[in-house]
Amino acid sequence: MAEVGQMDTPEQAEFRQSARAWLEDNRPADPIVRLPLTPLEIMTEGQLSYLQAWQKAAYDAGLVGCDYPVEMGGGGKNDCQRIANEEMLAARTPYMPNVIGLGMAAPTVFYHGQEAVKQQLLPRLFSGEDIWCQGFSEPGAGSDLASVQTFAERKGDKWVINGHKVWTSLAHFADWMILLLRTDKSVKHDGLSYFVVPIRSALGKGVTVRPLIKMTGETGFNEVIFEDLEVDDGYRLDELGKGWQVAMTTLLHERGAGDLVTPRSGGMKNKSSHVSNASSLISLAKRTIRSGSTAADDPLLRDRMMQQLVRETGMAASQRRTRVTALQDHPMRLPLQNKLLMSEIAQDTAGIATEVEGAAASLYLADDAAPDGGQWPMAYMNSFGFTIAAGTSEVQKNILGERVLGMAKSK
Amino acid sequence: MSQPDDFGFTEEAALLKESARKFFNEKFTADVLHNMVAGDPSPDRAPQVQWDEDIWQQMVDLGWSLLAVPEAQGGVGMPLVGVAGLVEELGRAAFPCPLLSTLAASYILSACGSEGEPALTEIAEGATATLVFADENGSLEPKATPIGVSSGNLDGTGYFVQDAGKVSHLLVCARSDSGLSLHWLGTDAAGVERTQDSIVDLTRDQAHIHFNNAQAQQVSADASAALEQALPALWTLYAADMVGAGEWLLQTTVDYVNARQQFDKPLGFFQAVKHPLVDVMVMIDQAKSLVYNAACAVDCEPEMARQYAHMAQASASDMADYSGSRAVQCHGGIGFTWECYVHLFFKRQRHSQMLWGDGPWHRARLAEIVIDAVA
């Protein structure tokens, strides 16, 4: 595998060194609270405050928003976020809580927001003091996202918003939301507009957040109901009727194919941390006894485990190949595969793991006899969140077929 | 040791790949290939060796056949990533020639130490060569070689010999009382008799070769060690060939489903057609990334080369099968005919898929490394 840092520019090399030095002294102590698998399942204030303190410290150290302009709270550097991410991962830091803000809201506000809004919102987004959520899906608008019905009606300098959003991760802690809605009912895509709207400060004043429970039994995502919420016109992103184009900026970054690198940390081990990858799958199989030998001796399971290892290694190699222009025929061909591959591989790995466990895969979190604490059946169920959210695998294949291979649009 | 982030794919490598693509685009399109190799559709046609020696000579003049020969023996000594780029383009053109066999032989000879140097010098001067080691069951284990050697003379019959009708030399893995050894001799040497196989793939030729007290020069007294060292490079190159052929199948099929209309829509409109072709693309990209990862390991991270080469082959073999089957299926009735060029690449992919071990075989070997070897 590739060695970290060997292709750094002088600016990146210097930045890497200072990041590494800071992380050596300032990596936070392990939390007292149990952390969920991803920030999208944060359930308690205790979990949130620990993670927010980490994000604020990392931001103050210049590791978050490094590539954004200084006047918006960024670091004003060139392609240094990638370096910060590598160093934070290597230092096994906790993940950051404001994932939707960092990965989706920030690039969207940056490309489409008014200057005043950028300067108002981005610094607290980067520091994690404000948590963000995303209002896209509705009960009647899933894969057909452009059919959203949440409506904003003009009233002088303000807009009055009514509607219903679903699958809204982190809404129960959110200060702000990126919101795709309709300002014109007579046309489909061109009737969409895009706003940032307050959530926490508007609770009970036009905004209601109610938890939805996942098939795993966990909470973490919500439905959000707007009843006559009033918002200033300044919080509109880009022009009226350009909501669809703005949403594409959000989705491109959500799917890991945008041009702004998302600040990302992680790798911290804690007692509940569970990673669905080929190596943890193999380790499980070696510990699982069946018919006198281990599951790792079963030729059919070996083949399936190796398929996962090959796919995983292939995905990592593709991410490297994304940076070698001469080995690509189409610039979006690899980036647009990211989300599809990552979610499908994780799903298959967790699914195989439950087959390795056999009957013991019936045991869930509260059963002391559950292998790996019952995390594999839970990871398998959770994996459907990733193959469905942010554009289902089927939608991803439409996008790849149409944008990269040039096949006719399937709608 | 570790890999450079860009796989070590230099500007020189990019230039070679680019010029190879141009070369084949200009001189060797699919219709030229079809005219050359598909003249006789009869299933019981006699085995033939059909290729264009003029174009091959141009490739030799460009130095492509000696890329893998070390500089000290008069070759180029190009890193494997660069060679893989060329082979990907060769696969895309499905050009019948002994390039792959000769590159493979070069890697094996390079692993033979000083004994292999004279043969490498011959390749640098224009010789072409292929490996002989398989028995009549096509075993992938060199130790199963059906050829015996005694006092430098070879006896027995080697099977599934690739490009046998095109090469000037043979590199033979043989068994003696003291173990496995490697030997070098001309195809026209006394006691060598070649019988062409009747094969499905029209873009290759294959034969079994009888040795009857044929005198050969020993190039290695330890064939196992040399093959052990060279096999990752060889597997990687055959995987690169499958990647190129897969890309031809994908692009050709996409062009077809964009043009062909049924139910008043282009076929590509229908997700039952669109999604499998996207699956093919994803498989190609996985295999391709794994090819350059494996090639770079051979160049820079030798301790990982075998693992990564198994991954490249496992991924490419599965993809070879699927890219071919989806291309025929999505072409519909025309795809089932001899006149449609798709069958040429379908057959080449099926041939390649099995040649050096299919997906399950490579995954089984990979499992021995990553599951069993680590305590």
Side-chain angles (χ1 to χ4, degrees):
Chain A
M1 286 279 124
E3 189 179 336
V4 162
Q6 58 187 346
M7 298 194 28
D8 284 356
T9 63
E11 183 189 0
Q12 288 172 327
E14 193 191 331
F15 179 81
R16 184 186 297 281
Q17 208 159 29
S18 70
R20 195 172 288 182
W22 184 83
L23 284 163
E24 212 156 279
D25 299 331
N26 294 283
R27 181 191 172 281
D30 287 351
I32 307 161
V33 293
R34 190 185 76 95
L35 292 180
L37 196 54
T38 80
L40 299 180
E41 290 97 39
I42 296 172
M43 283 159 81
T44 68
E45 290 285 352
Q47 294 170 336
L48 182 66
S49 59
Y50 171 84
L51 293 166
Q52 270 182 312
W54 153 241
Q55 183 170 338
K56 176 79 166 57
Y59 172 70
D60 290 341
L63 301 178
V64 186
C66 333
D67 301 336
Y68 285 83
V70 176
E71 60 273 21
M72 296 168 200
K77 302 217 170 335
N78 297 303
D79 196 14
C80 281
Q81 190 63 56
R82 202 159 52 76
I83 311 300
N85 293 356
E86 286 171 3
E87 292 302 318
M88 287 191 281
L89 190 70
R92 306 187 80 82
T93 54
Y95 49 68
M96 291 184 203
N98 193 22
V99 270
I100 294 169
L102 294 170
M104 291 174 251
T108 310
V109 171
F110 175 73
Y111 282 117
H112 303 282
Q114 299 181 14
E115 279 314 305
V117 168
K118 294 185 207 180
Q119 292 181 18
Q120 178 201 346
L121 298 177
L122 287 179
R124 290 175 60 86
L125 183 160
F126 294 136
S127 71
E129 289 163 284
D130 284 349
I131 299 292
W132 284 67
C133 65
Q134 175 196 21
F136 274 31
S137 294
E138 295 180 4
S143 290
D144 184 9
L145 180 62
S147 67
V148 298
Q149 295 302 318
T150 295
F151 192 72
E153 193 175 7
R154 187 138 213 171
K155 191 175 141 192
D157 272 356
K158 292 189 181 284
W159 294 88
V160 179
I161 298 172
N162 281 283
H164 186 180
K165 292 288 174 180
V166 289
W167 327 137
T168 320
S169 294
L170 290 175
H172 52 311
F173 294 123
D175 299 283
W176 290 90
M177 174 191 267
I178 41 175
L179 176 59
L180 181 67
L181 49 62
R182 184 160 294 288
T183 44
D184 181 349
K185 292 178 182 170
S186 67
V187 280
K188 191 172 178 182
H189 290 75
D190 293 341
L192 297 171
S193 296
Y194 200 119
F195 284 78
V196 293
V197 300
I199 296 294
R200 193 190 287 267
S201 64
L203 288 174
K205 290 173 270 180
V207 175
T208 307
V209 176
R210 279 200 293 257
L212 292 170
I213 300 172
K214 298 197 237 183
M215 68 186 285
T216 58
E218 296 164 294
T219 55
F221 71 165
N222 307 272
E223 57 183 341
V224 179
I225 291 143
F226 297 103
E227 290 160 302
D228 294 333
L229 173 70
E230 286 199 6
V231 174
D232 287 344
D233 185 52
Y235 290 123
R236 177 165 47 78
L237 301 192
D238 221 307
E239 291 165 38
L240 213 55
K242 292 281 183 209
W244 185 252
Q245 287 84 336
V246 181
M248 289 307 107
T249 301
T250 311
L251 288 175
L252 205 61
H253 284 84
E254 177 171 18
R255 293 165 184 160
D259 50 4
L260 278 167
V261 176
T262 295
R264 196 167 271 138
S265 72
M268 170 184 271
K269 271 201 170 155
N270 74 70
K271 57 187 169 183
S272 80
S273 81
H274 170 87
V275 187
S276 296
N277 61 22
S279 130
S280 55
L281 174 61
I282 291 166
S283 141
L284 173 74
K286 284 179 166 179
R287 285 181 273 121
T288 306
I289 306 293
R290 39 165 68 191
S291 320
S293 63
T294 74
D297 296 322
D298 180 315
L300 289 177
L301 285 175
R302 285 163 77 89
D303 188 68
R304 298 183 68 195
M305 291 192 289
M306 289 306 100
Q307 283 185 32
Q308 294 310 109
L309 178 64
V310 170
R311 290 169 81 192
E312 222 174 66
T313 312
M315 188 170 69
S318 281
Q319 277 163 2
R320 271 169 75 200
R321 185 155 67 84
T322 307
R323 300 200 282 275
V324 186
T325 317
L327 291 176
Q328 294 170 78
D329 294 332
H330 184 293
M332 291 312 283
R333 182 164 156 168
L334 292 175
L336 286 174
Q337 290 175 33
N338 263 344
K339 193 260 169 185
L340 176 70
L341 272 173
M342 209 175 296
S343 59
E344 294 285 336
I345 292 173
Q347 184 161 94
D348 291 344
T349 298
I352 294 167
T354 58
E355 290 171 41
V356 165
E357 291 180 348
S362 61
L363 304 174
Y364 209 28
L365 262 54
D367 197 298
D368 289 342
D372 288 348
Q375 291 288 337
W376 285 109
M378 185 180 228
Y380 182 55
M381 289 189 279
N382 260 327
S383 73
F384 289 89
F386 298 101
T387 53
I388 293 167
T392 62
S393 293
E394 290 72 19
V395 167
Q396 301 303 319
K397 288 184 186 180
N398 281 351
I399 292 171
L400 283 161
E402 290 156 18
R403 286 211 219 142
V404 177
L405 292 176
M407 288 188 271
K409 285 200 154 210
S410 296
K411 62 174 163 83
Chain B
M1 288 208 277
S2 69
Q3 298 198 9
D5 203 36
D6 62 353
F7 304 103
F9 198 81
T10 56
E11 220 162 293
E12 193 188 3
L15 215 61
L16 172 65
K17 190 168 192 291
E18 172 92 29
S19 62
R21 186 181 297 196
K22 275 201 195 119
F23 180 88
F24 291 121
N25 274 346
E26 278 166 22
K27 298 183 195 299
F28 204 74
T29 44
D31 54 326
V32 177
L33 174 65
H34 204 265
N35 284 337
M36 180 191 300
V37 300
D40 182 3
S42 169
D44 54 3
R45 64 188 174 272
Q48 283 170 309
V49 181
Q50 293 161 312
W51 62 310
D52 186 326
E53 292 189 59
D54 284 346
I55 298 184
W56 168 247
Q57 192 52 50
Q58 292 171 40
M59 291 165 65
V60 173
D61 293 344
L62 286 165
W64 293 353
S65 66
L66 48 83
L67 286 176
V69 174
E71 280 176 287
Q73 278 72 54
V76 176
M78 188 176 222
L80 187 61
V81 280
V83 180
L86 168 66
V87 171
E88 192 191 324
E89 298 306 326
L90 177 79
R92 195 193 291 255
F95 180 67
C97 69
L99 182 63
L100 259 171
S101 298
T102 302
L103 292 169
S106 307
Y107 285 109
I108 298 167
L109 287 165
S110 299
C112 289
S114 59
E115 272 190 300
E117 287 172 6
L120 283 166
T121 305
E122 287 187 60
I123 291 177
E125 286 165 356
T128 53
T130 189
L131 178 65
V132 185
F133 80 102
D135 66 7
E136 60 194 304
N137 301 316
S139 167
L140 298 165
E141 301 294 339
K143 63 176 182 289
T145 180
I147 298 150
V149 60
S150 158
S151 321
N153 291 328
L154 303 173
D155 275 293
T157 304
Y159 292 84
F160 305 104
V161 182
Q162 302 304 303
D163 302 324
K166 305 187 186 95
V167 293
S168 63
H169 285 74
L170 302 170
L171 180 59
V172 184
C173 179
R175 171 175 299 285
S176 71
D177 294 339
S178 53
L180 290 181
S181 48
L182 285 166
H183 305 267
W184 176 257
L185 75 169
T187 40
D188 56 0
V192 176
E193 192 194 324
R194 169 169 59 93
T195 308
Q196 285 297 129
D197 298 338
S198 164
I199 61 172
V200 179
D201 181 5
L202 297 159
T203 67
R204 288 196 170 96
D205 84 274
Q206 178 181 294
H208 45 291
I209 296 185
H210 315 276
F211 298 94
N212 183 8
N213 206 26
Q215 199 180 9
Q217 180 193 344
Q218 178 173 299
V219 292
S220 169
D222 188 353
S224 299
L227 287 169
E228 172 85 15
Q229 190 185 325
L231 276 174
L234 183 158
W235 289 332
T236 301
L237 290 183
Y238 277 87
D241 183 275
M242 289 187 260
V243 167
E247 191 67 27
W248 185 92
L249 284 162
L250 174 66
Q251 295 303 337
T252 303
T253 308
V254 165
D255 288 347
Y256 181 76
V257 302
N258 283 344
R260 166 84 173 167
Q261 302 242 343
Q262 290 286 278
F263 308 104
D264 303 320
K265 304 262 191 212
L267 287 182
F269 166 87
F270 300 100
Q271 291 174 340
V273 172
K274 180 181 288 172
H275 290 187
L277 292 177
V278 169
D279 291 339
V280 170
M281 175 177 82
V282 171
M283 286 175 89
I284 291 171
D285 280 316
Q286 287 257 299
K288 181 167 171 171
S289 300
L290 286 165
V291 160
Y292 290 98
N293 184 56
C296 186
V298 168
D299 294 331
C300 304
E301 198 184 14
E303 70 277 13
M304 293 300 286
R306 197 175 181 90
Q307 251 193 68
Y308 288 153
H310 281 310
M311 292 186 191
Q313 269 279 331
S315 179
S317 297
D318 287 357
M319 175 278 290
D321 182 38
Y322 197 60
S323 60
S325 84
R326 290 313 89 193
V328 172
Q329 183 70 23
C330 293
H331 272 80
I334 192 75
F336 185 59
T337 66
W338 188 268
E339 69 178 276
C340 175
Y341 305 149
V342 165
H343 73 99
L344 296 173
F345 287 79
F346 172 94
K347 292 166 183 172
R348 185 179 178 89
Q349 291 290 65
R350 292 291 289 173
H351 190 102
S352 304
Q353 181 195 350
M354 314 299 177
L355 189 57
W356 289 101
D358 60 4
W361 188 84
H362 282 281
R363 286 193 292 274
R365 303 290 82 72
L366 179 63
E368 287 162 9
I369 300 172
V370 303
I371 299 180
D372 303 336
V374 186

